[in-house]
Amino acid sequence: MKSVFDIHTHTLASGHAYNTIMEMAKEASEKGLELLGITEHAPAMPGSCHRFYFMNLKVLKRFMYGITVLFGTEVNITSYEGDMDLEDALLEKMDIVIASLHVPCLKPGTKEENTRAYLKAMEHPCVNIIGHPDDGRYPIDYEALVKGAKEHHVLLELNNNSLNPQGGRVDTAPNDIEMLKLCKKYQVPIVMNSDAHCIYDIGNQCYSEAILKEVDFPEELIVNRSVEELKSYINYYKRQNKS
């Protein structure tokens, strides 16, 4: 299956990534993608951009180098009750909202606490994707996660960067396998993302594709096969449908 978009990427603004918006968009276009999502780390991540950065995303064009480019955020879940580090007024303006757990922003809790953090974040109407829910440092109840994603119409992410053997997350492959098997069981769609922090990784799904093949995951549950499949999940398109 050809993936036509990548909607979890970072630029210099995130503080630990290495390219500009224009460089990322150009690279995505040259790689044949139809859509790129740039989702900077929200302010609780050390070194990332101020909330003013997200306030000003309105000045950017959503079409560059022949492709659609959307702008949003990877918010940090900052409590076990699903609190996040951008206020609702800003989240409502984001094209894409990915909610993730990061060790600098919330220390790993118990299985029950970590699961509750994800499930509570899913309840927020602006959250579109749960980012890399595969980090073994945050043990979770995957059956509850998958059922919650189905209930709240939220995508679960298969994050290629998580599966990189040089990465800092632990036990990601067995956790992703468990999640994918449950997604098959309950017919819950997923999204593949690179989590690219430089141009070279845009659209890179090498590790994700191997895991999908291992569990014989059905293509019809992978939204990356078309932009049309993505539209019902993403704020940018939801706003267009309302207008």
Side-chain angles (χ1 to χ4, degrees):
M1 187 200 80
K2 175 179 169 56
S3 175
V4 301
F5 60 78
D6 187 356
I7 55 172
H8 182 171
T9 69
H10 300 274
T11 75
L12 287 165
S14 283
H16 56 274
Y18 301 96
N19 291 99
T20 66
I21 289 171
M22 302 306 174
E23 289 169 344
M24 298 287 277
K26 187 171 185 289
E27 183 75 9
S29 176
E30 290 176 353
K31 287 182 173 178
L33 296 183
E34 297 176 17
L35 186 151
L36 175 70
I38 294 177
T39 49
E40 308 295 4
H41 285 288
M45 178 64 75
S48 195
C49 39
H50 192 273
R51 58 186 294 278
F52 290 171
Y53 178 91
F54 299 100
M55 290 174 63
N56 203 40
L57 289 174
K58 62 184 182 293
V59 306
L60 294 169
K61 294 182 178 179
R62 266 50 176 182
F63 196 75
M64 305 177 190
Y65 301 101
I67 67 169
T68 300
V69 182
L70 302 183
F71 297 93
T73 181
E74 183 181 10
V75 290
N76 300 287
I77 302 172
T78 56
S79 80
Y80 304 123
E81 298 304 319
D83 296 308
M84 294 172 282
D85 56 339
L86 283 178
E87 65 268 33
D88 288 357
L90 277 180
L91 291 176
E92 289 167 3
K93 298 180 187 305
M94 297 297 101
D95 296 341
I96 304 168
V97 176
I98 301 170
S100 302
L101 288 171
H102 294 109
V103 172
C105 306
L106 182 66
K107 68 178 183 179
T110 64
K111 187 174 187 177
E112 292 74 19
E113 287 172 332
N114 301 329
T115 303
R116 185 168 71 249
Y118 279 134
L119 294 177
K120 287 292 187 181
M122 283 182 193
E123 292 177 4
H124 195 292
C126 293
V127 170
N128 308 135
I129 298 167
I130 293 297
H132 49 75
D134 55 9
D135 188 345
R137 294 175 295 183
Y138 292 96
I140 60 171
D141 178 340
Y142 280 98
E143 187 153 20
L145 181 81
V146 170
K147 287 181 175 179
K150 185 165 190 172
E151 177 184 355
H152 297 292
H153 197 65
V154 170
L155 289 168
L156 297 176
E157 180 185 70
L158 183 60
N159 185 297
N160 195 71
N161 193 39
S162 281
L163 292 162
N164 187 329
Q166 296 180 329
R169 297 169 195 145
V170 302
D171 298 327
T172 54
N175 288 337
D176 279 324
I177 288 170
E178 182 178 358
M179 181 182 78
L180 291 170
K181 287 180 176 178
L182 287 163
C183 286
K184 281 177 65 175
K185 177 180 178 180
Y186 294 108
Q187 294 293 288
V188 175
I190 64 153
V191 61
M192 294 192 297
N193 282 318
S194 69
D195 199 357
H197 286 64
C198 68
I199 58 172
Y200 310 114
D201 270 338
I202 292 173
N204 182 8
Q205 307 292 356
C206 62
Y207 302 114
S208 296
E209 287 170 354
I211 291 283
L212 290 168
K213 185 176 181 180
E214 182 175 342
V215 301
D216 192 26
F217 198 77
E219 286 189 9
E220 60 267 24
L221 291 178
I222 306 172
V223 297
N224 300 69
R225 66 188 188 279
S226 79
V227 173
E228 197 61 36
E229 290 294 324
L230 179 70
K231 287 184 176 180
S232 72
Y233 292 95
I234 299 300
N235 294 334
Y236 178 77
Y237 295 109
K238 289 180 183 178
R239 287 197 297 267
Q240 288 183 339
N241 290 337
K242 288 180 181 178
S243 60

